Amino acid sequence: MAKIPTSEGQIPFQIPGENNISCSTYYKVFGDLARDAPAVVILHGGPGGGHEYLLSFAELWPRYGLPVVLYDQIGCGASTHLPQMEGNKGFWQESLFVAELDNLLDHLKLREGPGFHLLGQSWGGILGVAFAASRPRGLRRLVLASALASMELSVQSIQLCRSELPMNSQRVLDRCEQEADYESQAYKEALTVFHKMFVCRAEPVPAELMLAFQHLSDDRTVYGTMYGPSVFKCTGSLRSWSSIPCLPQITAPTLVYNGEYDTSRDISQEPFFDHIPRVRWITFQGGSHMCHLDAGGLGERVLKVVGEFLMQHKAVALQP
């Protein structure tokens, strides 16, 4: 797996409407952005999970000649943290991260020449849909990896997963949630069972995914404010979010994928397939929410499917 970036740095980011808050976005580039090939910009999940668990997609550079850009969204990782904004639902909105993505694209000059592709995983898919629906200049192709079309459908998906947990784990979750106890050892153990069944089925848990969990644990400002105290309790600024009305506005060819055991079940993918004009949907058998990290060759299959889909931009460009 390619882990040594060609370049990395910090991009100044001035938050719209917040003249007294100056931030910076940490990014990594794998490959040559000057090459005549669209860069693949990777949008991580969480929100607040950081970029490391998506590093396997850096292999798109040596295998397909596609430069790859990963970055930490503000509020996590090596980008600016804003703990003073915890609980401010008006501040932590999808529009903030769209503005940050716009800023990154402008700084790296990715709208010019061959343009760019977007790959959004989980919450990154929410961000990718919002951005793609604005029909941004330079966007060639969109990949929605275990994303969700609306928070209502996501909650239903997660409840389906929860109903498949061992009864003992379900009882622990029920009891702890009634007591608003999200920090006890019993709750954490039940959550670990959920993670192993539906979030990532690889054993042991990949080190890069452990880094994402660590980011979410070290600073809960973004996740806690936008989502809530637990994956099973959405009370944050995303609570009523839905992409469904804007899906017909996405003109970029789109690949949608999820896993058989994904927390993003098929019900949360169906609107993508029904409403995005140019779309392909794949469900990976045996896959979890982190298909790209799952064992048994699944990660390799995901990379191949994504790489081949993104390379189709060449065939499209050659059409009269």
Side-chain angles (χ1 to χ4, degrees):
M1 182 171 65
K3 290 187 177 181
I4 301 175
T6 306
S7 61
E8 59 186 318
Q10 296 278 352
I11 300 172
F13 173 50
Q14 186 64 55
I15 297 174
E18 299 284 349
N19 295 329
N20 61 331
I21 303 179
S22 295
C23 299
S24 64
T25 301
Y26 174 74
Y27 73 96
K28 290 179 178 179
V29 176
F30 296 84
D32 183 2
L33 293 181
R35 182 168 175 166
D36 188 24
V40 185
V41 180
I42 310 288
L43 311 176
H44 69 70
H51 76 278
E52 291 94 347
Y53 79 98
L54 294 163
L55 274 168
S56 60
F57 286 106
E59 279 291 317
L60 291 170
W61 167 243
R63 298 192 189 189
Y64 296 95
L66 295 170
V68 175
V69 179
L70 294 106
Y71 71 101
D72 290 334
Q73 298 155 22
I74 63 165
C76 78
S79 294
T80 301
H81 289 236
L82 297 168
Q84 70 272 26
M85 305 304 287
E86 184 174 8
N88 189 334
K89 295 180 181 179
F91 178 83
W92 295 108
Q93 292 283 333
E94 167 193 278
S95 57
L96 169 65
F97 297 94
V98 169
E100 183 185 27
L101 175 55
D102 266 322
N103 186 63
L104 178 137
L105 294 171
D106 289 340
H107 181 87
L108 297 178
K109 299 180 172 59
L110 296 181
R111 302 183 200 272
E112 310 302 330
F116 61 95
H117 303 305
L118 280 183
L119 185 153
Q121 198 275 335
S122 193
W123 142 257
I126 292 179
L127 177 55
V129 163
F131 189 77
S134 69
R135 300 179 180 176
R137 181 169 58 90
L139 177 60
R140 300 293 178 248
R141 289 183 169 248
L142 174 67
V143 179
L144 301 177
S146 297
L148 45 139
S150 75
M151 195 53 64
E152 179 183 2
L153 293 174
S154 177
V155 169
Q156 291 179 31
S157 294
I158 290 169
Q159 290 305 315
L160 280 173
C161 294
R162 180 170 173 159
S163 70
E164 297 169 9
L165 287 170
M167 285 305 303
N168 182 56
S169 297
Q170 292 188 49
R171 285 192 289 268
V172 169
L173 292 173
D174 291 342
R175 174 174 55 79
C176 290
E177 287 171 6
Q178 288 173 2
E179 300 170 358
D181 174 15
Y182 303 107
E183 299 300 326
S184 69
Q185 187 61 31
Y187 189 83
K188 291 177 180 178
E189 288 175 359
L191 196 59
T192 296
V193 174
F194 177 83
H195 286 162
K196 288 182 176 181
M197 290 180 65
F198 306 112
V199 176
C200 183
R201 295 170 71 85
E203 289 282 0
V205 178
E208 51 267 53
L209 182 55
M210 292 302 297
L211 282 171
F213 290 150
Q214 191 65 49
H215 287 313
L216 292 166
S217 174
D218 288 346
D219 188 344
R220 294 189 57 81
T221 299
V222 185
Y223 187 88
T225 306
M226 296 189 75
Y227 193 88
S230 165
V231 66
F232 303 112
K233 195 171 184 65
C234 182
T235 58
S237 58
L238 289 172
R239 183 176 183 179
S240 60
W241 174 88
S242 175
S243 71
I244 296 173
C246 73
L247 294 178
Q249 302 170 31
I250 297 176
T251 56
T254 302
L255 169 66
V256 172
Y257 77 76
N258 65 331
E260 178 184 5
Y261 301 103
D262 207 324
T263 55
S264 294
R265 290 293 176 91
D266 287 359
I267 58 170
S268 65
Q269 310 301 301
E270 288 168 356
F272 295 144
F273 191 70
D274 291 341
H275 299 295
I276 296 177
R278 303 164 68 188
V279 64
R280 179 188 181 194
W281 176 15
I282 296 175
T283 297
F284 289 100
Q285 297 304 303
S288 69
H289 195 55
M290 302 290 174
C291 289
H292 66 285
L293 294 178
D294 283 333
L298 185 52
E300 285 291 318
R301 293 202 297 276
V302 170
L303 190 67
K304 185 174 187 291
V305 166
V306 169
E308 291 180 353
F309 170 76
L310 295 180
M311 290 302 290
Q312 289 173 18
H313 76 276
K314 290 186 174 182
V316 171
L318 293 174
Q319 291 179 356

